[in-house]
Amino acid sequence: EAFINYISTPYAKESLLRHAVLSIQHSQDPVVVHLRRGPPRVYHPLAERNAITSPTPSLLDQDDENDKADQSDISDSILVAAGESMEPKIHPFAAALASKGLIKSTSDALSITKTLQQFTERTRQWEANSSFRIDSTTHELIDLFDSRDLPPSMSAATLPFEYTNAKSLRHYGPSTPTIRPSTTHGRNIFSFSENRAIECSRGMKAAGLLGHEYEGLLPESARRTSYPGSALKQHNTESPPSYDSEDSDVFIPLVGVRKALCVRIVNTFIEEDRIACTILVHDIESGREWYAPVRYYQDFNDLRAATVTLCPAIADIPFPKSPIWNLFVVKEVTESSTVREEKCRQLEHFLRQLCSIVYREKLNPGIAEVCIHVQSFLGCDTALAELDDEDLHLHIQVAVNDITFEDAVEKGHNEAQMNARLLLKRSIQRYTYRLFLLRTMEQIVNQFVDSERARGPKVDDIKALELRGRATLKDISLEELARIRAYLDQIQELIMESCTIDFISISQRREYGAIRGFMEGGKGKTYLDIVFREAVREQIEIEIYVPLRSIVSRLLVNGWRHDDMEMQFKMQELSKRTQTLFRIPPEKQSPSDWRTVSNILQQGVGRSTLPCAKLRAIVRAAKEISCLHGQEHDCHSSNIDTTASGENIGNDAEKSTIGADDFLPIFIYCVVRADMERPCALCVLLTTLCERTNRIGEIGYYLASFEAAITHIQEVDLSEDCINLSSNKLSGFP
C-alpha cells in the first residue's frame, strides 16, 4: 500500500512522487493509490457564515469604530483563491474574536493562528507518541507523520503493520483535528505542508514501503525515524530495517505528564502565623477534581527554585517577592488584605503558567521534569494513584465531575459506546482548554473575573443589605448570577460557532468509531451538538465559574440563609418518615429505600463543584429511579423516561410502571434522604446558571422536577401524617 499526497511544491513534483513510484514498483500486490484533485477555487467555511447574534448586548462586544477597517481586512483575507499559498491566514476562532472586536488587527489574528498551530503540533505528537522529538540545537519540534492523524477514509492506506495494537497504547482520545490534504487550511492545523509530505515518506519507509536502496534519494531530514528512542539493529534480511536516532534529535518523554491541568487558588486562611492557600485542581484528561495539599508561600518559592534551573524561561513569569524584613520582623499575617490578595493572584498565575508550560514555552529537555515537579506539588500522584496508564478502564472511573458511575448508561449505548462518548467529550474539552491558553482569552477571562470580584459585595456590604430586607439581597444575587450566566453563554457560543468544524473533524477519528452510528443519520447533528456543548460548557465553567465561586456562594448562602435553615429542619423531620407517608404506592416502594438515587443526589448534586455536573447528576438520579425499580421488581422499565404529560419515551414504554404521577413522590423522598446542604441556594444556582439550550428537553424537565421537589418540601405541613401532593400545590411543575 502507498499514499500519495499531491501538493504543488517542487519537492513533491520532482522527488516525493518519484520515490512513491519506485516504492510501488517494488511492493507486493495489491497496491492502493489515493489521488485527490483540489477544487479550482476554495472558500473558507467562515466566508459565508453569519456573525454571532445575541438577543441582548453582548458582554464581549467592543464598540470601537476605528477597528472596523482592520476587522474588514481580516474578513477579506479569509478568501483563498486557486494557485495561492495554502498556508492558513486566519484560524476561524481568531476570525470570531475579530468579529467581536476582541482583537484589533490582522497581525493579532495571525498571531493567534500561529499559536493555535503550535498547540496543535505539540498536542498531535504528544498524544501519538507520549513524547516530543526536538532538534538538539534549535529545540524546535520535529514533525512526525502518524497515519492515525489522517481521516479514516485515507488512513487505512498508510497504517503501519502494527497498527492493530494501537488502541491498547492510547487510553485517551485524540483532541486534534485530522489532517485534511488539499484544503484551504495549512500545515499541521488542517492539512499537509511540505514537511508533512517528507514525513509521509518517513512513514512509508517505517512501514516497509520504501526500501533501503532508495533511502539515499531522500533529503537528510526525511531519513529520521518516526519511532522515538528506537535503536533497532538489522540482524538478517528478514528482520525489520534498523533506525538509529540521529545525534541532532532529542526526545522528551512525556509519559505520566497530564495533558490539561486547571488550577485555582479558591481560598486563603491563616495557619501558624502564615498564609495558607487552598488549591482546587481539575484534571481534564481523567475528569477528576481534588484539593491539593495546603501550600504556603515558601512552598511556592521552593517550587520556583526547583523548576527555574530546568527551564530558564520560568524566571520571566511574575512571582511575588517577599520583603527582606519579613524574615526577621514582620510576619505574613500582618500584611494588609490588599497585599495578600495581590500575592495570591500572582501565585495563582505562576502556577497556571507552569501547568501549561508544555504548550506555551520553548521546548527544552528539562520541561518534562518541570511538569513532574508541578504535579507532585498539586498532589497528582495521590489523587490519580489508581489510574494506571497501562490498565485504564474508563467505565469504572468514579469522577465527581463527570458523575461516571459503574452502572451509568446513556440511552441506547453499550459499554464500548459509553467509553467512546466519554473519550470524545474529554477530547473536545481538552481542545477548549487550549483555547483558554491564548493570551487574548486569558486577558478576557481575567478582566471579567476581576470586575466581578470588585462588584461582589463584601461581608460588611451584605450586612447592610440584610438590614434593607432579604428581598433586596436576593434581587442583587439574582442580578449578579444572570450577568455571569450571560457571559458564560456568550463565550460558549463564540467557541461553538468558530470551532464546530474542528470538533466534527475530531469526532471522525477512528478512535470514536464505536459511536459512528449515533453521529450519522438524521439525529447525528443533534447528538454531536449535545456532546460538544457539554464538553465546552464544562471547561468554560472551570475557567470562569470556579474563580467566582466564592462570590456566588457568599451571595446565595446569605440571601437564602433563612430558607435553608427552615428546609434543613423540615428535611430532618421528613427523613424519619416511611415511603408510605410520602404517598408512594406499596407496589412502587423500594426495598433499598432508593439508596442509590439518594447517593447520586448527595454526591453529584451536593458535593460536586460545577453547575453543569450538578445538572447531570440530577438527570442521572432521575433515570436511576426507573433503573432501580426495574431491577428490584424484575420488570423491563429501566432507562424509560417520562414526559410532563405522563407519557413514556422509548420502545418499551408500555412495559414501564413508573409514570409522572409516581415519579414525583419518589423523587421528593430521595431529595429528602440525600441530606444536601443549602438546598434552596443550590436550586437557585442551578435554575439561574443553567445553559439556555438545556432549559428545554431532558435536563430542563428534570431540573423543573428538582425545583418542584424543593418547593413542595418548603410548603409541606409537618403536622400532617402524610405528604400532601395535591395538584393545586404542584401546578406549573411537571
Side-chain angles (χ1 to χ4, degrees):
E1 294 182 326
F3 170 78
I4 299 177
N5 176 40
Y6 186 85
I7 56 176
S8 56
T9 63
Y11 177 79
K13 291 180 178 179
E14 300 175 4
S15 180
L16 178 60
L17 292 179
R18 183 173 71 252
H19 302 328
V21 171
L22 292 174
S23 176
I24 292 174
Q25 291 176 345
H26 292 79
S27 298
Q28 298 180 354
D29 292 335
V31 174
V32 180
V33 179
H34 291 263
L35 300 177
R36 182 184 181 94
R37 176 178 296 175
R41 187 170 180 84
V42 184
Y43 291 87
H44 192 285
L46 282 182
E48 299 179 358
R49 181 176 293 177
N50 295 328
I52 302 174
T53 59
S54 178
T56 58
S58 173
L59 298 175
L60 301 175
D61 289 334
Q62 303 292 331
D63 300 327
D64 191 346
E65 298 295 334
N66 297 328
D67 297 328
K68 290 185 177 179
D70 289 334
Q71 296 173 22
S72 176
D73 293 340
I74 294 177
S75 300
D76 293 340
S77 67
I78 293 175
L79 183 63
V80 181
E84 293 182 346
S85 172
M86 304 307 287
E87 289 294 319
K89 290 192 175 181
I90 291 180
H91 189 280
F93 186 68
L97 292 174
S99 69
K100 306 296 291 184
L102 298 173
I103 55 178
K104 306 302 183 183
S105 64
T106 304
S107 61
D108 292 337
L110 293 174
S111 176
I112 290 176
T113 299
K114 183 178 179 181
T115 303
L116 288 174
Q117 174 181 332
Q118 173 180 302
F119 293 168
T120 302
E121 289 174 346
R122 295 185 181 186
T123 303
R124 182 169 283 143
Q125 192 169 139
W126 188 353
E127 292 177 344
N129 302 324
S130 296
S131 65
F132 286 150
R133 184 177 185 174
I134 64 175
D135 187 275
S136 61
T137 303
T138 64
H139 287 180
E140 294 293 333
L141 190 70
I142 298 174
D143 287 347
L144 298 179
F145 174 78
D146 190 331
S147 59
R148 290 172 294 187
D149 292 328
L150 295 172
S153 60
M154 306 178 68
S155 61
T158 58
L159 293 181
F161 297 135
E162 69 273 13
Y163 182 74
T164 54
N165 299 323
K167 287 186 178 180
S168 64
L169 300 178
R170 284 187 176 184
H171 307 296
Y172 47 83
S175 62
T176 58
T178 57
I179 303 172
R180 290 174 285 180
S182 300
T183 66
T184 61
H185 307 287
R187 67 183 293 271
N188 287 350
I189 295 183
F190 304 105
S191 75
F192 283 110
S193 64
E194 181 174 347
N195 288 340
R196 282 289 176 182
I198 295 175
E199 289 301 333
C200 180
S201 297
R202 299 179 196 166
M204 293 168 61
K205 181 186 69 174
L209 304 179
L210 199 61
H212 280 281
E213 62 271 24
Y214 308 110
E215 185 174 341
L217 300 177
L218 294 175
E220 185 69 18
S221 59
R223 301 182 205 171
R224 296 167 181 162
T225 175
S226 61
Y227 295 90
S230 65
L232 303 177
K233 300 295 183 181
Q234 183 175 2
H235 297 288
N236 54 62
T237 56
E238 298 180 355
S239 302
S242 63
Y243 303 116
D244 292 323
S245 178
E246 295 192 358
D247 295 336
S248 60
D249 296 348
V250 176
F251 294 94
I252 303 177
L254 297 173
V255 177
V257 177
R258 311 308 297 176
K259 297 175 179 62
L261 288 176
C262 295
V263 297
R264 290 286 185 179
I265 298 179
V266 295
N267 186 36
T268 58
F269 58 94
I270 299 176
E271 184 178 90
E272 298 180 356
D273 296 333
R274 295 185 297 172
I275 304 299
C277 297
T278 303
I279 305 172
L280 180 61
V281 184
H282 284 88
D283 178 40
I284 311 304
E285 186 178 350
S286 66
R288 293 172 180 261
E289 65 177 54
W290 67 89
Y291 287 98
V294 175
R295 299 300 183 185
Y296 307 93
Y297 171 80
Q298 187 59 44
D299 297 325
F300 286 90
N301 199 32
D302 294 342
L303 176 64
R304 183 175 184 269
T307 56
V308 74
T309 57
L310 300 170
C311 181
I314 296 177
D316 298 329
I317 302 176
F319 191 85
K321 296 181 179 179
S322 180
I324 298 299
W325 58 82
N326 275 7
L327 300 177
F328 305 100
V329 181
V330 183
K331 298 181 179 180
E332 292 181 23
V333 292
T334 63
E335 296 176 339
S336 65
S337 59
T338 303
V339 172
R340 288 202 301 268
E341 290 177 1
E342 179 61 26
K343 178 184 291 187
C344 177
R345 187 177 293 108
Q346 288 184 337
L347 292 176
E348 181 183 82
H349 175 74
F350 171 77
L351 200 53
R352 287 171 63 83
Q353 294 296 308
L354 288 187
C355 289
S356 60
I357 193 172
V358 175
Y359 298 102
R360 285 174 162 170
E361 299 296 337
K362 187 176 181 64
L363 297 177
N364 71 77
I367 203 167
E369 191 172 349
V370 171
C371 297
I372 299 302
H373 277 292
V374 175
Q375 291 178 191
S376 177
F377 182 86
L378 297 175
C380 295
D381 49 349
T382 302
L384 302 174
E386 67 275 21
L387 296 183
D388 186 356
D389 285 345
E390 296 298 325
D391 187 20
L392 176 60
H393 303 284
L394 293 174
H395 66 283
I396 63 173
Q397 291 184 22
V398 182
V400 174
N401 210 33
D402 266 326
I403 312 303
T404 307
F405 296 89
E406 290 188 29
D407 57 346
V409 177
E410 188 73 12
K411 186 177 180 180
H413 288 62
N414 57 31
E415 181 181 359
Q417 292 166 342
M418 279 297 300
N419 286 347
R421 187 186 187 279
L422 182 59
L423 284 175
L424 177 59
K425 180 246 180 180
R426 290 177 179 170
S427 295
I428 299 299
Q429 193 172 343
R430 294 202 307 275
Y431 180 103
T432 308
Y433 161 83
R434 296 195 295 271
L435 294 179
F436 282 95
L437 297 183
L438 295 169
R439 302 298 181 188
T440 301
M441 289 298 295
E442 189 177 52
Q443 294 172 1
I444 293 172
V445 171
N446 289 341
Q447 182 180 4
F448 179 76
V449 170
D450 291 342
S451 65
E452 287 302 303
R453 285 172 173 171
R455 287 168 52 91
K458 304 296 186 293
V459 177
D460 294 338
D461 299 330
I462 290 179
K463 292 181 179 179
L465 290 172
E466 287 181 331
L467 295 177
R468 296 165 54 184
R470 281 182 285 173
T472 302
L473 182 56
K474 288 183 177 181
D475 291 341
I476 293 177
S477 301
L478 293 175
E479 180 182 345
E480 290 299 320
L481 286 175
R483 180 178 173 85
I484 295 174
R485 182 197 63 205
Y487 191 82
L488 296 177
D489 290 346
Q490 289 163 15
I491 291 289
Q492 177 170 336
E493 291 307 312
L494 178 71
I495 295 175
M496 289 296 298
E497 285 285 339
S498 59
C499 299
T500 298
I501 295 177
D502 279 1
F503 295 163
I504 294 176
S505 178
I506 294 172
S507 68
Q508 293 173 347
R509 284 179 171 271
R510 299 168 61 89
E511 286 80 357
Y512 312 117
I515 55 174
R516 186 75 60 204
F518 295 95
M519 297 187 292
E520 298 174 348
K523 297 182 179 180
K525 184 177 180 180
T526 301
Y527 180 88
L528 285 176
D529 186 71
I530 292 174
V531 177
F532 295 164
R533 288 184 176 275
E534 180 181 324
V536 172
R537 184 68 174 202
E538 182 167 320
Q539 190 59 35
I540 290 175
E541 290 185 0
I542 290 175
E543 300 288 349
I544 301 175
Y545 169 77
V546 169
L548 295 175
R549 192 177 63 153
S550 60
I551 302 296
V552 173
S553 298
R554 188 184 306 155
L555 292 170
L556 293 176
V557 169
N558 288 279
W560 280 263
R561 182 173 66 252
H562 298 284
D563 303 77
D564 282 325
M565 291 174 61
E566 180 182 358
M567 278 286 291
Q568 290 291 348
F569 175 76
K570 288 186 175 182
M571 292 175 70
Q572 184 176 2
E573 292 298 319
L574 291 173
S575 63
K576 303 174 183 178
R577 302 191 179 186
T578 64
Q579 298 181 57
T580 302
L581 297 181
F582 278 80
R583 297 187 182 276
I584 301 176
E587 65 274 12
K588 309 292 175 56
Q589 294 181 10
S590 168
S592 63
D593 286 333
W594 309 101
R595 187 174 298 108
T596 58
V597 181
S598 301
N599 289 341
I600 294 174
L601 290 172
Q602 184 182 56
Q603 298 292 330
V605 181
R607 297 183 182 179
S608 58
T609 301
L610 305 179
C612 63
K614 296 176 184 289
L615 289 172
R616 290 198 298 271
I618 290 177
V619 175
R620 179 70 193 100
K623 291 183 176 182
E624 177 65 14
I625 291 178
S626 293
C627 294
L628 184 62
H629 177 75
Q631 295 170 3
E632 293 181 340
H633 295 270
D634 193 26
C635 65
H636 304 282
S637 61
S638 58
N639 293 327
I640 301 298
D641 302 329
T642 55
T643 63
S645 61
E647 299 177 353
N648 293 316
I649 303 174
N651 297 329
D652 299 330
E654 67 277 4
K655 300 180 182 180
S656 174
T657 58
I658 296 292
D661 293 338
D662 300 321
F663 168 77
L664 193 56
I666 297 174
F667 195 59
I668 293 174
Y669 179 81
C670 295
V671 169
V672 168
R673 297 186 68 85
D675 192 25
M676 293 177 288
E677 296 184 1
R678 305 183 182 91
C680 294
L682 179 60
C683 185
V684 173
L685 172 71
L686 298 182
T687 55
T688 307
L689 292 187
C690 180
E691 181 199 353
R692 59 181 181 83
T693 58
N694 286 337
R695 295 169 200 161
I696 58 176
E698 183 180 61
I699 293 180
Y701 169 70
Y702 288 122
L703 176 59
S705 300
F706 181 76
E707 186 179 7
I710 297 298
T711 301
H712 186 78
I713 296 172
Q714 284 182 296
E715 298 177 354
V716 71
D717 186 355
L718 293 177
S719 62
E720 298 179 355
D721 292 334
C722 292
I723 304 299
N724 185 9
L725 291 177
S726 58
S727 58
N728 61 330
K729 280 191 175 185
L730 298 178
S731 59
F733 297 107

